[in-house]
Amino acid sequence: RGRFWSTVKFTAMAPFHTVNFRDAFVGDVMTSLVRPIQDFLFALTYYFTVIWGTLFSNIGLTEVGRILERSWFLHNIVLTSFAMLPLWWKFLQCLRMSYDSGQRWPYLGDAFKYLSAALVILFGMTHPEDRICFWWIVSFIATTLYQIWWDTIMDWELLVITPRNESQSSSESPFCSCTISSLRPTSSILLTVQMYVIQPMEDAVRRVCLAIPNL
């Protein structure tokens, strides 16, 4: 138990310590548990309020629901903090890894993923009446697409093209001079997506990285 909390401490203090695999892994787990933690906190608050209202204030379940729905402290401080902190810690971890390695890419791109998600969540939770705002919807969609692209292409390398070995049989399908390492090379649809969508995007990112000094 002490080792666990020590790991959490190093994860939360990312800017002041070198980030190792353990700290990065714990940070990824915490960002994945943001929604379950929020649900758990809301349920815990609900049951505590029901018990308190039943014993001391004679408040019914319906009234408890109204109290929690109107609670500024719950929605703007408690739930927002637990939604923001894991993303903020991962953002700081990415900055620290960029500083330690002396390289901006891909750490700053990963940091931007967590920062953009945190800002969208922060605005959406503190301004629920503005969630139908056009610019918030655009920001939400853009952030979601960026996260999907980063996780799928950069982190997981789901559609990674690897060169064919010269020793491979020439009788294989000549559809493309390369294969996708994570998918069946016989899937012509996925190969087409890789050739005309994914690969041009990766090439554009590489050109940008080469054009910016020290990136």
Side-chain angles (χ1 to χ4, degrees):
R1 184 179 301 175
R3 187 181 298 273
F4 170 77
W5 289 113
S6 175
T7 302
V8 173
K9 178 189 71 174
F10 281 106
T11 302
M13 300 178 65
F16 308 105
H17 301 279
T18 300
V19 180
N20 54 33
F21 174 79
R22 176 198 62 186
D23 302 332
F25 178 76
V26 172
D28 289 333
V29 171
M30 295 178 69
T31 55
S32 301
L33 293 177
V34 164
R35 189 60 190 179
I37 290 175
Q38 285 187 302
D39 294 339
F40 173 77
L41 286 174
F42 186 86
L44 188 65
T45 305
Y46 178 82
Y47 286 118
F48 177 79
T49 307
V50 168
I51 294 173
W52 176 82
T54 303
L55 296 178
F56 302 103
S57 301
N58 195 25
I59 299 176
L61 297 179
T62 303
E63 185 62 25
V64 168
R66 295 196 186 100
I67 292 174
L68 294 181
E69 184 180 0
R70 297 192 300 265
S71 175
W72 181 90
F73 180 77
L74 175 64
H75 292 283
N76 291 272
I77 302 297
V78 178
L79 297 181
T80 303
S81 297
F82 279 88
M84 291 286 297
L85 283 176
L87 298 172
W88 177 250
W89 291 337
K90 281 298 298 182
F91 170 72
L92 295 179
Q93 283 185 344
C94 294
L95 295 184
R96 178 64 195 224
M97 289 188 290
S98 176
Y99 174 80
D100 290 338
S101 65
Q103 297 178 349
R104 298 178 184 177
W105 187 262
Y107 302 109
L108 294 187
D110 201 11
F112 178 74
K113 179 185 72 172
Y114 294 108
L115 179 62
S116 60
L119 293 177
V120 170
I121 292 175
L122 177 64
F123 184 85
M125 295 188 68
T126 56
H127 300 79
E129 69 281 356
D130 293 330
R131 289 182 182 177
I132 59 175
C133 172
F134 172 78
W135 289 113
W136 185 86
I137 295 175
V138 171
S139 301
F140 178 83
I141 295 175
T143 301
T144 302
L145 293 177
Y146 181 76
Q147 291 178 5
I148 293 174
W149 173 78
W150 187 272
D151 290 338
T152 304
I153 306 302
M154 300 299 297
D155 282 350
W156 303 340
E157 296 184 345
L158 185 60
L159 297 175
V160 174
I161 281 189
T162 57
R164 283 186 188 273
N165 296 325
E166 295 181 358
S167 59
Q168 285 183 320
S169 172
S170 60
S171 61
E172 294 182 4
S173 173
F175 180 81
C176 179
S177 60
C178 48
T179 60
I180 296 181
S181 60
S182 57
L183 297 169
R184 293 180 295 106
T186 55
S187 177
S188 59
I189 296 179
L190 293 176
L191 283 170
T192 303
V193 172
Q194 172 64 37
M195 291 174 58
Y196 298 106
V197 179
I198 304 300
Q199 197 65 44
M201 293 174 60
E202 292 184 342
D203 293 340
V205 171
R206 292 192 187 96
R207 286 195 295 269
V208 172
C209 294
L210 293 174
I212 301 177
N214 300 324
L215 186 59

